[in-house]
Amino acid sequence: MKYRSKSMTRRFAAGIAAGTLVLAACGSDSNDADDADTSEETADESGEAASADEAAAGTIVDVAVAAGTFETLVAAVTAADLAETLSAEGPYTVFAPTDEAFAALPEGLVDALLLPENVDALTAILTYHVLDAEVPSSDVAPGDVETLQGEAITIGVDGDTVTVNDATVTAVDVEASNGVIHVIDGVLVPPSIDPSALLG
């Protein structure tokens, strides 16, 4: 994949900064112990900066709410009482369908999923979009991956195009304090769920 995660970019930039400070210290009259101290302090500061950036981003739920393009997903997560789960420490990877992806579902299906009597099906569908580990785009590989729901999704990689089942990944590495979000253009439905049965 040619995608570069934001976290990788930050680490790369932090590495350049650390290297520059170490080179400057070597060119001064300070001894080796001072050089080591400078390197350790720089590494500590880089780690603290990365942690601060992640904290500023908020949890996966916070990021989804702030984005403004996942209103249906956020409503579904709230209806399924999963907001607390996805705000936990994690880390998680979420393949997040946009509002347009939900709108492309058969007419009436989203409304049916949001009904209290269908909460189990809604929970299964939502957790089918979640991995119980943080997987940046740089680590994505083709194959089947088990989801938080228990059934597997199939990842496909063809050049720069990444697919999850029949959906295509349209944006990657949206960082959150407890994981990462990859945006997809379709809603994933586990094989055990029959959406047409929900429409009655």
Side-chain angles (χ1 to χ4, degrees):
M1 290 180 61
K2 295 182 180 178
Y3 298 117
R4 181 189 298 275
S5 73
K6 293 179 183 176
S7 58
M8 286 179 63
T9 305
R10 279 201 191 94
R11 287 197 294 269
F12 181 66
I16 291 174
T20 302
L21 287 174
V22 170
L23 287 174
C26 289
S28 72
D29 293 331
S30 58
N31 59 31
D32 291 342
D34 290 340
D35 292 346
D37 290 343
T38 303
S39 299
E40 289 172 6
E41 287 172 8
T42 303
D44 290 343
E45 288 170 4
S46 298
E48 289 171 5
S51 298
D53 287 341
E54 289 175 353
T59 67
I60 286 169
V61 174
D62 294 332
V63 171
V65 169
T69 53
F70 303 108
E71 291 181 6
T72 308
L73 177 61
V74 171
V77 165
T78 302
D81 201 22
L82 288 173
E84 185 174 347
T85 299
L86 293 178
S87 296
E89 185 176 350
Y92 300 112
T93 296
V94 175
F95 294 99
T98 60
D99 290 336
E100 289 77 10
F102 277 101
L105 290 173
E107 186 175 354
L109 182 55
V110 172
D111 290 336
L113 284 168
L114 295 176
L115 294 174
E117 58 265 33
N118 293 326
V119 68
D120 289 343
L122 178 61
T123 300
I125 289 172
L126 291 175
T127 53
Y128 189 60
H129 291 75
V130 183
L131 306 183
D132 196 15
E134 184 170 347
V135 184
S137 61
S138 56
D139 292 342
V140 169
D144 292 344
V145 183
E146 185 175 339
T147 66
L148 200 61
Q149 181 261 350
E151 295 179 77
I153 53 175
T154 300
I155 306 291
V157 179
D158 183 8
D160 287 344
T161 302
V162 177
T163 56
V164 184
N165 291 357
D166 294 327
T168 299
V169 177
T170 59
V172 298
D173 300 321
V174 180
E175 293 182 0
S177 61
N178 62 338
V180 65
I181 298 170
H182 303 309
V183 183
I184 55 176
D185 66 359
V187 177
L188 311 176
V189 179
S192 60
I193 299 294
D194 179 9
S196 62
L198 301 174
L199 294 173

